[in-house]
């Protein structure tokens, strides 16, 4: 739990710091070709990883005969939840980064890169909060769903 929170919060702090620094001090725009190549390769790799995690979620959800989203929200398997959340956030972050890069390329202003960096930081804070809350519930306990409580009664 602490590792996931520290990793995502640390990344968020760095991302927001970089974004604010870029917004205040500005940034020289270089040749974006290398950046687009790196973003494309990262997107392909993260997409493949997410596909693997989603396949596992679907397989386990089908085995338990529950919807995929229900399984992902309620599973005690923190590993699969972390992989799906992290890869989803990574893909969204890569799209934000590409948008910031494109905005800077079209306008000639580094402001777009700074905004994208701040948005990526907020995304990382959200993922840290969701994973942290989920792991904390597993540590301290969470109530049974209402339908299950009624069945027990």
């Amino acid at each position: 739990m602490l590792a996931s929170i520290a990793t995502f919060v640390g990344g968020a702090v760095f991302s927001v710091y970089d974004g604010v620094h870029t917004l205040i001090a500005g940034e020289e725009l270089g040749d974006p070709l290398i950046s687009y190549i790196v973003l494309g390769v990262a997107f392909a790799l993260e997409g493949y990883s997410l596909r693997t995690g989603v396949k596992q979620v679907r397989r386990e959800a089908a085995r338990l005969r529950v919807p995929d989203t229900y399984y992902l929200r309620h599973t005690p398997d923190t590993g699969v939840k972390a992989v799906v959340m992290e890869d989803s956030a990574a893909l969204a972050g890569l799209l934000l980064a590409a948008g910031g890069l494109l905005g800077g390329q079209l306008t000639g202003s580094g402001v777009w890169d700074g905004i994208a960096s701040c948005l990526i930081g907020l995304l990382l804070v959200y993922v840290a909060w969701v994973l942290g809350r989920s792991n904390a519930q597993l540590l301290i306990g969470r109530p049974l769903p209402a339908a299950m409580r009624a069945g027990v009664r």
Side-chain angles (χ1 to χ4, degrees):
M1 179 176 95
L2 294 177
S4 69
I5 291 173
T7 301
F8 287 106
V9 170
V13 168
F14 178 75
S15 186
V16 170
Y17 169 79
D18 183 60
V20 170
H21 182 267
T22 299
L23 290 172
I24 292 171
E27 183 177 85
E28 284 293 318
L29 300 176
D31 182 18
L33 179 62
I34 300 293
S35 299
Y36 283 122
I37 291 170
V38 169
L39 290 172
V41 169
F43 196 86
L45 294 173
E46 290 291 349
Y48 181 77
S49 179
L50 177 62
R51 182 179 148 266
T52 303
V54 168
K55 282 172 68 174
Q56 183 176 348
V57 166
R58 287 184 177 156
R59 186 172 47 248
E60 290 299 314
R63 185 178 66 80
L64 296 171
R65 295 187 177 128
V66 295
D68 298 349
T69 54
Y70 181 88
Y71 173 79
L72 190 59
R73 191 175 306 122
H74 294 94
T75 182
D77 185 354
T78 57
V80 72
K81 188 180 291 190
V83 166
V84 171
M85 289 288 297
E86 185 271 328
D87 289 340
S88 298
L91 290 173
L94 289 168
L95 290 175
L96 287 170
L101 186 62
L102 181 62
Q105 188 180 5
L106 293 176
T107 64
S109 171
V111 169
W112 294 103
D113 188 46
I115 291 170
S117 191
C118 289
L119 291 173
I120 291 167
L122 293 174
L123 176 66
L124 291 173
V125 166
Y126 173 74
V127 171
W129 178 74
V130 169
L131 288 175
R133 193 179 101 227
S134 174
N135 288 335
Q137 287 176 345
L138 291 172
L139 288 173
I140 62 174
R142 60 181 172 197
L144 290 172
M148 194 175 287
R149 282 195 309 263
V152 170
R153 284 190 191 116

